[in-house]
Amino acid sequence: MVYLLLYKVLDFLFQGLYLFLIVRVLLSWIPHDRYHPLISFMYDVTDPILKPFQNIIPSWKLGIDLSPILAFFAIGIVRDLIFTLLF
């Protein structure tokens, strides 16, 4: 019972993180107020995940930011690793 609850909570957190990253990518295509409280919160959550990948592959060299794609892969690997070890 406890494992099922832990599984659901962790799965919910990972799904929320995926959703935040998708919304962040979509926001990059439209003009928005970076300092609106909701958008600022989304940046606060996703920046620590995206920044390391932005430092590895700077977007100015390619003309496109690949950090969200790399972040999706990394989050998927971490999720699978955690779920494999715990469940």
Side-chain angles (χ1 to χ4, degrees), residues 2-3 20 23-24 27 34 43 46-48 53-54 58 64 66 68 70-71 73 75 77 79 82-83:
V2 174
Y3 286 114
F20 272 32
V23 172
R24 168 104 183 240
L27 280 175
R34 164 71 171 88
Y43 273 76
T46 57
D47 270 347
F53 297 111
Q54 290 170 343
I64 187 169
L66 297 177
L70 298 173
F73 282 126
I75 291 170
I77 291 169
R79 180 187 182 279
I82 288 174
F83 284 178

Side-chain angles (χ1 to χ4, degrees), residues 11-81:
D11 189 49
F12 178 77
L13 291 174
F14 278 107
Q15 293 302 322
L17 194 54
Y18 282 132
L19 180 64
F20 272 32
L21 283 172
I22 289 170
V23 172
R24 168 104 183 240
V25 168
L26 293 175
L27 280 175
S28 72
W29 297 343
I30 59 173
H32 61 278
D33 178 12
R34 164 71 171 88
Y35 299 103
H36 184 278
L38 291 175
I39 295 175
S40 180
F41 175 72
M42 190 173 318
Y43 273 76
D44 291 342
V45 170
T46 57
D47 270 347
I49 298 164
L50 294 175
K51 288 292 181 190
F53 297 111
Q54 290 170 343
N55 292 336
I56 293 171
I57 304 174
S59 61
W60 58 268
K61 286 188 177 181
L62 297 175
I64 187 169
D65 186 11
L66 297 177
S67 62
I69 296 169
L70 298 173
F72 277 113
F73 282 126
I75 291 170
I77 291 169
V78 169
R79 180 187 182 279
D80 290 345
L81 181 65

